Amino acid sequence: MTNEEFKNKIIKVGTFFSGIGNPEKAFNRLEEEGYIVDYKIEFFSEIDKNAIKSYCAIHNIDEKFNLGNITSIKGSDLPYCDIWIGGFPCQDIFVAGKMKGFDYESSTRSSLGWEMIRLLREVIIKPKYVIFENVAIIAGKKFKDTLDLFKEDLKNLGYTLYDDLLSVVLV
Ligand SMILES: C[S@@+](CC[C@H](N)C(=O)[O-])C[C@H]1O[C@@H](n2cnc3c(N)ncnc32)[C@H](O)[C@@H]1O
């Protein structure tokens, strides 16, 4: 995503596993700091009722924009967005959990990340950009085979992939 590309454009954003909407807050900051003109939350997807209430309060948005459980969403439900973001559940990847992983159709909570790939296949106009976020160990040896398949699907959908390990500093 370049500054030029979005200089005069309202960026349409959709998130899955939205929680309280940290990525949305980042867009807010990009706007405040003049990197983008504006952004609009087209939809979010969350099932936890406390997170939903917090999300709506923090982002000043009506609950009707919550599409709910990702497994019930169809591609045709989704309005066009420039970018999708999904920090899918990490319980089965994280060291403190049982590390059951996120194999396709394994029914672990972390395997819900594949639902975003299903929706990318189903949606009429794909988002130009998609960001997946998870814990660093997802890129380790234990999950390499699953992550490779995940990336392969994204490549087959036409995306160029970039990944990075970020250290977050809260200020
Ligand atoms: C790792 S957290 C993501 C946190 C989020 N990025 C934020 O900024 O707060 C994963 C979220 O996925 C939600 N979730 C779990 N299963 C879901 C499902 N089937 N559909 C939609 N959201 C789900 C959880 O309630 C949780 O808030």
Side-chain angles (χ1 to χ4, degrees):
M1 195 181 289
T2 61
N3 284 354
E4 265 325 290
E5 189 179 353
F6 287 108
K7 215 170 176 179
N8 299 307
K9 192 176 166 192
I10 298 174
I11 302 174
K12 296 181 174 182
V13 180
T15 65
F16 300 91
F17 314 107
S18 308
I20 60 168
N22 285 295
E24 290 82 340
K25 206 66 195 158
F27 274 99
N28 194 234
R29 194 161 160 182
L30 287 172
E31 183 189 342
E32 280 173 3
E33 295 181 5
Y35 291 102
I36 61 172
V37 183
D38 204 355
Y39 69 100
K40 181 171 184 291
I41 298 170
E42 292 287 332
F43 65 82
F44 67 103
S45 159
E46 177 52 59
I47 53 170
D48 181 281
K49 66 177 187 338
N50 294 321
I52 296 165
K53 278 210 177 329
S54 304
Y55 184 104
C56 292
I58 292 168
H59 302 288
N60 193 24
I61 190 168
D62 195 279
E63 278 198 27
K64 72 178 182 202
F65 289 91
N66 177 25
L67 300 181
N69 193 329
I70 191 168
T71 61
S72 306
I73 301 174
K74 297 185 189 73
S76 54
D77 298 335
L78 298 171
Y80 172 75
C81 285
D82 299 297
I83 183 163
W84 287 4
I85 306 175
F88 57 99
C90 63
Q91 288 95 329
D92 307 294
I93 299 165
F94 195 46
V95 188
K98 290 185 179 156
M99 296 178 89
K100 287 188 195 157
F102 68 111
D103 282 353
Y104 180 66
E105 290 189 335
S106 60
S107 297
T108 64
R109 278 177 291 181
S110 295
S111 69
L112 284 169
W114 292 92
E115 286 290 305
M116 280 179 68
I117 292 188
R118 171 183 63 81
L119 288 169
L120 285 171
R121 280 205 192 91
E122 287 179 14
V123 79
I124 297 162
I125 307 179
K126 293 184 200 10
K128 199 159 181 192
Y129 302 95
V130 186
I131 298 177
F132 293 91
E133 176 267 326
N134 215 288
V135 288
I137 198 167
I138 197 170
K141 203 172 160 196
K142 184 167 173 59
F143 302 114
K144 187 179 182 307
D145 290 350
T146 314
L147 190 59
D148 282 350
L149 290 171
F150 200 88
K151 288 178 171 177
E152 199 57 40
D153 272 6
L154 288 168
K155 276 189 209 151
N156 290 337
L157 282 160
Y159 289 99
T160 304
L161 306 188
Y162 304 91
D163 52 44
D164 211 344
L165 183 60
L166 303 179
S167 297
V168 177
V169 180
L170 298 175
V171 288

